[in-house]
Amino acid sequence: MTSNPRAAAVAACAPSSSGSSSPAFLPPPLPSPSDDGELLRSLHRLARDLSVVETPAPFLRAALASISRRSKLLAAAFDDLLLCAAAGDLPRSASLCLREVLLVLKRFRAVVADCSARSRIRLLLQSDEMEAELRELHHDLATMLDLLPVVELGLADDVLDVLALASRQCRRSSPVPEAEQALKASVLSLIHEIEREIVPERERLEKILEEVGINDPAICSDEIEILEREIGDRASEKWTSSMIALVGLLRYAKCVLFSATPRPSDSNSKANVEVEGGEPPAPPSDFRCPISLDLMRDPVVVASGQTYDRESIDRWFSSGKSTCPKTGQVLANLELVPNKALKNLICKWCRENGVVMEACEASKSEQAQAMAANKAAIEAARMTASFLVKKLSVSSSPDAANRVVHEIRLLSKSGSENRAFVGEAGAVPLLVPMLYSEDAELQLNAVTALLNLSILEANKKRIMHADGGVEAVAHIMSSGATWRAKENAAAAVLSLASVHSYRRRLGRNQSVVEKLVHLVRTGPTSTKKDALAALLALASERENVGKLVDAGVAEVTLSAISKEETAAAVLAALAKRGGAEAIANIDGAVARLVAEMRRGTDWARENATAALVLLCRRLGAPAVSQVMAVPGVEWAIWELMGTGTDRARRKAASLGRICRRWAAASAADGERGAGCPVDSVVPPAMMAS
């Protein structure tokens, strides 16, 4: 609620009735001449800025024009007041009153800035609230102008007339324009029509959006992006349902009215002009999670004030720890507070550098649930999917196809309903041939669209059963025009491999396995990560392991073990299902696993230890002797038993028992493991356990 400026000014000017010396009850100090001069210069600057304010939407033109007109009057009056300040001190009551005027003008500026930052749709939906706020501010400004002691200031008559005119204009109550109310009703009527499965008329839709100020594809894309962010931030609980519905409507309008033209920032992004061997730009250190060192998707603040990615810190807490990973401080609580300011900066950096940033799973789930409960949004998505697929089927050139595929990619990015509608409309068979396109942008959009669609179970079947679907994905992994396309193809394999029967089929496909191995061997960091994740999924099937070993998965994974934590998990999966001997036969394999057990991430350490336990159990004494021959292995086991995750501790304890038994057996046979006495090989803590 806005405070009463008249009461504030009277209270400020009145002498204190209390004898207390508390600063809260003392009248403000008398401003110095220099303070008065700075005050008037600030008022003049602010009034001048407000007089040239730009209108963010056509329907706000009248409201912001009134601010502009009154600010011009005030700027002219402040010109004369500056001369008064130059001639001497302002009266104390005048100075205090002008300070209140400055506060009111700052609130006007805040409202104008807020209007510029909001989506046009939200501005329209909340127009009644905004008009009420502006009326209250105008009334406050008129009150302060009436309280201004103009006689004491000795202002010229024309300046007095200007101030009186500004006051009268501020007090003039202007209702919300009928055209604005009618436009709001038209937008809401579109939602109701879509809920009844009525396709909006093109001409009517175009006219309404023109009045809202959405008249080209770039503005439409920006509006969708801002609306989605406002929905995620719960900017307006009252209008959230309508905003969700209108996101779907705008996507449909973008396709129907603006020919699904991609934004320049999408089509010319750095990601799309990468050369072979190039790597996406490295994010600033402040945008990386201190735990995973990856770009944070959902930054959150813990009780110590440090920021981490939600997924990483959740994993940290799930392992039983209650300390801050960075500072070691014991946390008073395990609550996570979203760091929205940092997230906005990360999103901006991603857009500017062409880096794809998926929303966190929790955020995507919330938005998907909200959409699932919104009939208008569902019907708008269905209409959009049908329109796009039909248009793709008749696209006559790569450029025309790319515009449509780009929109399919965006539509299928979130929401199972969207993916279902696109898949049901028949998009998959049309997308597969485009993976062979020589147009790098079309190729990237097509493989990313398939990746997005593959998240839905029914679409996995469509891709696996499409003619040449798997072969086309393998083609991208080897011959894709950009690393981003190759990376997304590997991610698509990972997504498809989540189904048991498809995992076997993919593992039997020698081309798929070889291409994944090649990506791990030659790809940049993000590509290696996705390729290793896909290999891990394939290695979870026993009948695939022989083919993986023959393709060189063990060797290439060992080469990546110090750089990618997933590598240790792949080796553990191979060792568990028949690949132990192949791993042990690689020179230095055991030493690298021990090194990872000592210096890797928590997940890498537990998987490296699990792999060593499996090697020892599958291969017996030869493998154990290799483990015990690595300098410092006993201390690595001992340390992991004390500091590792629950699983890591169990695996370390198992490895310790295996080593003790081997040492005891060697002693009984008169053999000293690696030429060392038993008590020098195994630390006392392990001997006692």
Side-chain angles (χ1 to χ4, degrees):
M1 182 176 178
T2 308
S3 60
N4 188 328
R6 181 189 293 275
V10 172
C13 296
S16 173
S17 60
S18 171
S20 169
S21 61
S22 170
F25 295 97
L26 288 176
L30 190 67
S32 66
S34 62
D35 290 338
D36 288 338
E38 182 57 36
L39 169 63
L40 287 168
R41 282 190 291 274
S42 297
L43 282 165
H44 185 265
R45 265 195 312 269
L46 192 48
R48 190 179 56 203
D49 291 344
L50 287 172
S51 69
V52 293
V53 65
E54 294 183 3
T55 304
F59 55 85
L60 288 179
R61 192 172 290 116
L64 296 186
S66 65
I67 297 175
S68 178
R69 285 192 300 272
R70 288 151 199 177
S71 297
K72 287 177 182 176
L73 294 175
L74 292 177
F78 294 149
D79 274 335
D80 200 74
L81 283 170
L82 278 168
L83 298 177
C84 295
D89 295 0
L90 288 177
R92 182 173 181 275
S93 58
S95 179
L96 293 174
C97 193
L98 288 172
R99 290 179 188 279
E100 292 296 325
V101 172
L102 181 63
L103 291 176
V104 174
L105 292 182
K106 285 182 176 179
R107 285 157 56 201
F108 269 117
R109 182 176 62 183
V111 170
V112 171
D114 186 43
C115 288
S116 299
R118 291 189 199 182
S119 64
R120 292 170 174 82
I121 291 294
R122 183 176 155 218
L123 278 174
L124 180 62
L125 295 175
Q126 295 183 316
S127 58
D128 293 341
E129 295 95 322
M130 194 197 68
E131 293 283 353
E133 184 177 4
L134 288 177
R135 278 197 300 273
E136 192 169 2
L137 285 175
H138 282 303
H139 182 270
D140 291 348
L141 181 57
T143 301
M144 299 317 306
L145 293 176
D146 291 345
L147 287 172
L148 189 65
V150 292
V151 176
E152 296 179 37
L153 290 171
L155 297 174
D157 290 343
D158 57 342
V159 178
L160 297 179
D161 291 341
V162 167
L163 290 173
L165 176 60
S167 176
R168 287 197 304 273
Q169 288 187 357
C170 287
R171 290 195 181 281
R172 190 177 298 148
S173 178
S174 300
V176 179
E178 292 183 6
E180 188 174 317
Q181 295 283 37
L183 178 59
K184 181 176 177 180
S186 297
V187 170
L188 294 176
S189 71
L190 284 176
I191 297 176
H192 298 320
E193 288 175 12
I194 293 173
E195 286 177 345
R196 298 196 300 272
E197 302 182 22
I198 300 173
V199 179
E201 295 178 4
R202 179 189 175 102
E203 293 75 13
R204 178 164 170 260
L205 180 60
E206 185 174 15
K207 180 176 181 296
I208 291 174
L209 292 185
E210 178 75 31
E211 292 176 9
V212 175
I214 301 172
N215 51 15
D216 68 47
I219 293 176
C220 192
S221 296
D222 284 335
E223 185 72 8
I224 292 170
E225 187 176 313
I226 297 171
L227 262 178
E228 288 180 331
R229 185 166 66 243
E230 289 173 343
I231 292 167
D233 292 342
R234 296 179 173 86
S236 175
E237 294 287 350
K238 176 182 176 181
W239 294 106
T240 295
S241 177
S242 297
M243 290 162 68
I244 292 171
L246 288 166
V247 167
L249 178 63
L250 286 175
R251 286 203 181 107
Y252 175 74
K254 183 182 175 186
C255 301
V256 174
L257 301 181
F258 308 124
S259 301
T261 305
R263 299 175 56 176
S265 59
D266 290 324
S267 59
N268 297 320
S269 67
K270 296 179 183 178
N272 293 334
V273 293
E274 294 172 30
V275 295
E276 192 74 11
E279 191 166 352
S285 57
D286 291 342
F287 294 173
R288 293 174 179 267
C289 175
I291 299 174
S292 66
L293 300 181
D294 290 331
L295 183 69
M296 289 187 277
R297 297 184 306 162
D298 188 17
V300 292
V301 181
V302 298
S304 65
Q306 299 293 327
T307 297
Y308 302 94
D309 190 51
R310 185 183 294 274
E311 183 179 350
S312 298
I313 195 65
D314 278 342
R315 191 188 303 166
W316 176 270
F317 290 155
S318 298
S319 67
K321 297 182 177 66
S322 58
T323 58
C324 174
K326 194 170 184 179
T327 65
Q329 170 185 347
V330 177
L331 300 175
N333 59 69
L334 303 185
E335 293 180 6
L336 303 176
V337 179
N339 191 335
K340 293 183 179 179
L342 180 58
K343 185 172 183 179
N344 288 338
L345 289 174
I346 293 173
C347 290
K348 180 181 178 183
W349 179 87
C350 289
R351 288 195 300 271
E352 292 175 349
N353 290 275
V355 174
V356 178
M357 179 184 175
E358 292 287 347
C360 69
E361 291 303 320
S363 174
K364 287 192 289 186
S365 175
E366 289 176 5
Q367 291 193 26
Q369 290 173 8
M371 180 180 169
N374 191 305
K375 181 170 174 54
I378 290 174
E379 292 304 324
R382 190 195 306 276
M383 288 190 294
T384 305
S386 176
F387 176 85
L388 288 171
V389 174
K390 287 178 182 176
K391 191 162 186 177
L392 181 60
S393 66
V394 296
S395 296
S396 57
S397 67
D399 184 57
N402 181 52
R403 290 197 295 270
V404 180
V405 173
H406 177 267
E407 290 302 319
I408 291 176
R409 167 186 174 177
L410 294 181
L411 182 62
S412 59
K413 186 176 179 180
S414 62
S416 57
E417 290 84 3
N418 292 349
R419 299 184 186 109
F421 296 151
V422 174
E424 290 166 2
V428 171
L430 298 174
L431 289 171
V432 167
M434 294 177 185
L435 301 187
Y436 294 96
S437 172
E438 295 181 359
D439 185 311
E441 192 178 338
L442 175 56
Q443 191 185 81
L444 174 61
N445 282 327
V447 72
T448 308
L450 284 174
L451 168 60
N452 294 341
L453 291 171
S454 71
I455 296 171
L456 186 70
E457 197 79 9
N459 287 335
K460 287 181 172 67
K461 181 177 181 180
R462 292 185 176 102
I463 295 170
M464 292 297 294
H465 290 262
D467 289 341
V470 174
E471 290 73 16
V473 172
H475 167 77
I476 290 287
M477 288 194 289
S478 64
S479 304
T482 66
W483 281 115
R484 182 64 50 75
K486 295 178 181 181
E487 177 182 325
N488 288 350
V493 172
L494 171 62
S495 177
L496 295 171
S498 63
V499 177
H500 178 71
S501 58
Y502 299 157
R503 189 159 57 239
R504 289 184 173 183
R505 180 178 163 188
L506 291 167
R508 288 195 297 267
N509 191 313
Q510 185 178 358
S511 176
V512 170
V513 175
E514 289 177 350
K515 303 301 169 43
L516 288 171
V517 169
H518 179 72
L519 290 181
V520 176
R521 183 177 289 117
T522 63
T525 301
S526 57
T527 307
K528 286 180 190 288
K529 190 185 297 292
D530 282 327
L532 282 167
L535 288 172
L536 177 60
L538 298 181
S540 65
E541 197 67 43
R542 178 175 292 275
E543 74 172 48
N544 290 342
V545 169
K547 296 179 178 63
L548 296 177
V549 168
D550 292 341
V553 171
E555 290 86 348
V556 76
T557 305
L558 271 170
S559 68
I561 196 169
S562 62
K563 305 177 188 71
E564 296 294 336
E565 64 175 1
T566 310
V570 174
L571 291 170
L574 292 175
K576 183 177 182 180
R577 297 174 180 86
E581 186 174 356
I583 295 171
N585 288 338
I586 301 172
D587 289 342
V590 170
R592 290 189 183 185
L593 285 168
V594 172
E596 188 71 357
M597 186 174 71
R598 299 178 66 178
R599 293 188 292 270
T601 64
D602 284 347
W603 191 49
R605 292 171 76 195
E606 69 180 49
N607 280 306
T609 311
L612 289 170
V613 170
L614 289 163
L615 291 179
C616 293
R617 287 177 175 170
R618 299 290 191 272
L619 305 177
V624 182
S625 63
Q626 285 190 57
V627 172
M628 295 302 293
V630 178
V633 64
E634 62 276 8
W635 298 108
I637 296 172
W638 183 41
E639 181 183 15
L640 195 58
M641 288 173 63
T643 63
T645 63
D646 290 343
R647 179 172 179 254
R649 292 177 184 181
R650 292 195 304 271
K651 296 299 180 182
S654 297
L655 186 59
R657 286 193 295 271
I658 291 170
C659 292
R660 286 198 308 275
R661 290 168 186 161
W662 177 86
S666 297
D669 294 340
E671 298 176 5
R672 307 298 181 183
C676 300
V678 174
D679 57 358
S680 71
V681 172
V682 185
M686 287 174 58
M687 291 290 290
S689 64

